[in-house]
Amino acid sequence: MKKIIASYLCILLCLASLNSNAQKFYTKTGKISFFSSTALENIEASNRSVTALLDSKTGELQFTVLVKGFEFKKALMQEHFNENYLETDKFPKASFKGQVLNNSEINYAADGSYPARVKGQLTIHGQTKDIETTGVIHIRDGKPVLNSTFSVLIADYKINVQRIHQDNISKSIKITVEAALTPL
């Protein structure tokens, strides 16, 4: 009987140690930036108040950002972005909810850089689209740092550019995501 109890306790301890490596990570200080390049003008902005959540056990990944938090070098660009293009009073948030497809290949307990494939739904300007992209998850001292760069078409998110400004804004916008996460 003592051997059965000892075996049972050993199994429980092993399971507990496996679960201790699987945990949730988050940040409220992630960064998302975007860049539009045309022959007439480059437009770029960044937001350093991005909330991100990653479940290392399941690979579930979420990002949320208040769109008004994007900062531009020119105040007029920021005003046009919020009022005319992203209509932030109507659509205050942008979000991503998805999955790290190759999560089993990422060792969250070992420092290193791991290529990641991510698939999910990106919501911008009230429009939700399926998106699949790649990135890198760097593990530093047991904490993940997420990096990805991908492009979206503004037409996919029903962002209307006035005819007079169509030569100033690219049809494809490059988005860069950086987030250093800590245990939740």
Side-chain angles (χ1 to χ4, degrees), residues 102 105-117 135-147:
N102 62 324
E105 299 170 15
I106 299 166
N107 185 348
Y108 291 94
D111 285 2
S113 296
Y114 303 90
R117 293 185 337 267
V136 177
I137 298 178
H138 306 279
I139 306 298
R140 297 185 186 132
D141 299 322
K143 300 174 189 170
V145 178
L146 314 178
N147 294 95

Side-chain angles (χ1 to χ4, degrees), residues 23-28 51-55 144 181-184:
Q23 62 182 6
K24 293 183 180 182
F25 296 92
Y26 85 106
T27 187
K28 292 183 180 180
T51 301
L53 178 66
L54 170 67
D55 185 328
L181 309 178
T182 58
L184 184 63

Side-chain angles (χ1 to χ4, degrees), residues 14 29 31 41 49 55 63 91 104 121 123 153 166 171:
C14 288
T29 58
K31 178 183 174 190
E41 179 172 45
S49 298
D55 185 328
F63 286 91
F91 310 106
S104 63
Q121 293 190 316
T123 301
L153 298 173
Q166 285 182 346
K171 292 174 178 26

Side-chain angles (χ1 to χ4, degrees), residues 36-180:
S36 164
S37 178
T38 65
L40 296 178
E41 179 172 45
N42 290 338
I43 300 170
E44 57 188 312
S46 64
N47 186 321
R48 295 182 181 275
S49 298
V50 177
T51 301
L53 178 66
L54 170 67
D55 185 328
S56 65
K57 183 177 181 180
T58 64
E60 288 182 56
L61 180 62
Q62 296 179 33
F63 286 91
T64 302
V65 61
L66 288 174
V67 181
K68 274 190 179 181
F70 280 96
E71 296 178 358
F72 293 73
K73 290 181 183 174
K74 297 177 183 177
L76 188 58
M77 276 186 186
Q78 189 162 332
E79 182 180 325
H80 288 169
F81 173 81
N82 285 307
E83 292 177 9
N84 301 337
Y85 301 115
L86 273 286
E87 302 174 280
T88 55
D89 287 338
K90 269 189 186 159
F91 310 106
K93 293 181 182 180
S95 64
F96 173 83
K97 186 173 183 175
Q99 189 84 26
V100 178
L101 297 175
N102 62 324
N103 193 59
S104 63
E105 299 170 15
I106 299 166
N107 185 348
Y108 291 94
D111 285 2
S113 296
Y114 303 90
R117 293 185 337 267
V118 178
K119 183 177 183 177
Q121 293 190 316
L122 179 63
T123 301
I124 302 173
H125 195 242
Q127 303 299 308
T128 301
K129 297 288 178 187
D130 290 333
I131 186 168
E132 189 168 338
T133 190
T134 59
V136 177
I137 298 178
H138 306 279
I139 306 298
R140 297 185 186 132
D141 299 322
K143 300 174 189 170
V145 178
L146 314 178
N147 294 95
S148 181
T149 300
F150 58 96
S151 295
V152 298
L153 298 173
I154 60 173
D156 285 349
Y157 296 93
K158 296 188 179 177
I159 299 169
N160 296 317
V161 178
Q162 298 168 353
R163 179 167 244 139
I164 193 169
H165 297 294
Q166 285 182 346
D167 292 337
N168 296 55
I169 300 173
S170 176
K171 292 174 178 26
S172 177
I173 306 296
K174 183 172 93 172
I175 298 174
T176 301
V177 178
E178 303 169 25

